[in-house]
Amino acid sequence: MIYVGPHISIAKDISLAPGRAKALGATAFALFLKNQKIWSAPDIKKESASSFKENVRALGFNDDMILPHAGYLINMASPDEEMRRKSLLLLKDEIKRAKEIGIRKLNIHPGAYIEGEREDGIRRSAEMLDQALSDVDDFMIALEDTAGSGSNLGSSLEELAQIIDMSKKKDCLGITLDTCHLYGAGYDMRNEATMVLDKALSIFGKDKILGVHLNDSKADLASRKDRHDSLGKGKIGLEAFREIVCHKAAEERPLILETIDESLWEEEIKTLLQFYQEYIS
Ligand SMILES: [Zn+2]
Ligand SMILES: [Zn+2]
């Protein structure tokens, strides 16, 4: 089975997200756990958390189909003390929120080292993951690959593996593959998607691939730019997504659309589910 759906808005109330996903024909979805651009937000109300869980159950979703995305302000690799303190607090808060709504996973960007050496950034990122996970059970953090602009970490599979290896909480870490970011970082998802996914499987193993973000790319191969496009409208092209959703790495994982035109989501979901149907029949 494959699970496909978009990154859904939590506007008004987080408990509305599962219904919004279902209305689009989605079998998976992603969401932020609070406004992603602010440091502190009100707690999730008890009633909202329980009605989120109730809606997830009633609409046929489960934990395997939902992958929350951490806010953008967190920088786990930052060298700045104050930034580190705030990032850790926020990351812990995001984990707490995920658990409150019954989810045991969180997707996050590995961070930007800003100053100094890349190696220092990798170490700092691993350290923050250790701190954030120190008193947490039964929870996985997925490090998302990046296009590698500026000093952003995570633009190669090997670098994601390095962060995981350096952590004391290895067992609680996995990855998310973003097709647009991979392409920007120089992985040719247009012509070699199967090879790239095979490589990810051989480095990490299936258990550590916690999700895939399905985005086409406006930017060129190896441009180091992160510019999402609708499926089939960008440089990667629609056929590559057939290959991706029919690959073992994508099976039974949340496959999340972060494509730029919401009005196409329903159609994109349908197309991807159909690719898979054609593949298995
Ligand atoms: Zn992301
Ligand atoms: Zn992106």
Side-chain angles (χ1 to χ4, degrees):
M1 277 298 276
I2 60 163
Y3 310 134
V4 186
H7 185 112
I8 292 285
S9 161
I10 57 163
K12 297 230 163 61
D13 197 89
I14 196 163
S15 65
L16 300 173
R20 288 177 178 142
K22 193 72 183 181
L24 295 165
T27 52
F29 65 95
L31 72 169
F32 290 119
L33 300 166
K34 55 181 266 303
N35 180 330
Q36 76 277 21
K37 292 174 190 154
I38 57 173
W39 285 103
S40 72
D43 287 341
I44 298 176
K45 290 196 212 82
K46 272 217 166 68
E47 313 83 80
S48 298
S50 50
S51 89
F52 180 94
K53 286 189 266 191
E54 182 48 44
N55 291 339
V56 161
R57 214 178 7 247
L59 297 171
F61 295 107
N62 65 48
D63 191 41
D64 289 339
M65 306 166 181
I66 307 170
L67 183 58
H69 196 304
Y72 292 131
L73 294 174
I74 297 170
N75 182 359
M76 298 195 294
S78 171
D80 179 79
E81 275 313 309
E82 178 60 7
M83 183 65 184
R84 295 190 67 69
R85 191 186 64 79
K86 286 160 76 180
S87 291
L88 180 59
L89 275 179
L90 189 46
L91 177 51
K92 286 187 156 178
D93 179 63
E94 300 256 15
I95 294 171
K96 178 177 125 278
R97 285 168 190 267
K99 292 189 119 180
E100 282 168 356
I101 59 163
I103 309 291
R104 295 166 299 138
K105 281 171 297 175
L106 179 69
N107 175 87
I108 191 167
H109 298 188
Y113 58 91
I114 301 177
E115 287 162 33
E117 303 288 326
R118 180 169 285 269
E119 292 299 320
D120 297 327
I122 291 171
R123 181 181 44 75
R124 289 193 294 258
S125 188
E127 274 171 15
M128 188 162 303
L129 288 163
D130 289 349
Q131 289 169 325
L133 290 164
S134 64
D135 52 359
V136 181
D137 302 318
D138 194 22
F139 198 87
M140 295 283 285
I141 290 187
L143 298 171
E144 181 180 350
D145 76 285
T146 66
S149 62
S151 64
N152 279 309
L153 297 175
S155 59
S156 72
L157 298 176
E158 288 78 4
E159 197 164 274
L160 293 177
Q162 232 182 316
I163 298 170
I164 293 174
D165 277 345
M166 208 168 276
S167 163
K168 296 186 184 80
K169 301 287 281 186
K170 274 187 201 50
D171 293 348
C172 306
L173 298 176
I175 62 158
T176 302
L177 296 166
D178 183 307
T179 55
C180 166
H181 301 174
L182 284 166
Y183 193 72
Y187 292 94
D188 188 353
M189 298 308 282
R190 181 182 181 89
N191 299 302
E192 293 172 352
T194 299
M195 231 168 72
V196 176
L197 296 178
D198 284 348
K199 189 175 178 197
L201 274 179
S202 81
I203 295 177
F204 299 97
K206 171 80 179 171
D207 288 350
K208 284 204 173 301
I209 301 178
L210 302 181
V212 183
H213 290 170
L214 298 173
N215 302 305
D216 210 326
S217 173
K218 278 185 192 295
D220 287 325
L221 178 65
S223 60
R224 304 245 139 204
K225 287 195 186 114
D226 174 10
R227 294 184 57 209
H228 297 193
D229 208 342
S230 299
L231 302 189
K233 306 227 163 170
K235 304 275 162 110
I236 296 176
L238 195 58
E239 276 308 302
F241 291 95
R242 179 194 294 273
E243 227 175 295
I244 294 162
V245 299
C246 299
H247 193 281
K248 187 167 174 273
E251 243 178 7
E252 268 142 38
R253 294 292 180 269
L255 308 179
I256 304 300
L257 294 161
E258 300 172 319
T259 45
I260 56 176
D261 186 348
E262 276 187 47
S263 72
L264 298 177
W265 282 350
E266 209 173 334
E267 194 55 43
E268 287 175 327
I269 293 164
K270 222 186 266 167
T271 303
L272 294 169
L273 290 174
Q274 185 164 354
F275 283 165
Y276 187 73
Q277 273 315 314
E278 287 166 15
Y279 165 71
I280 56 169
S281 61

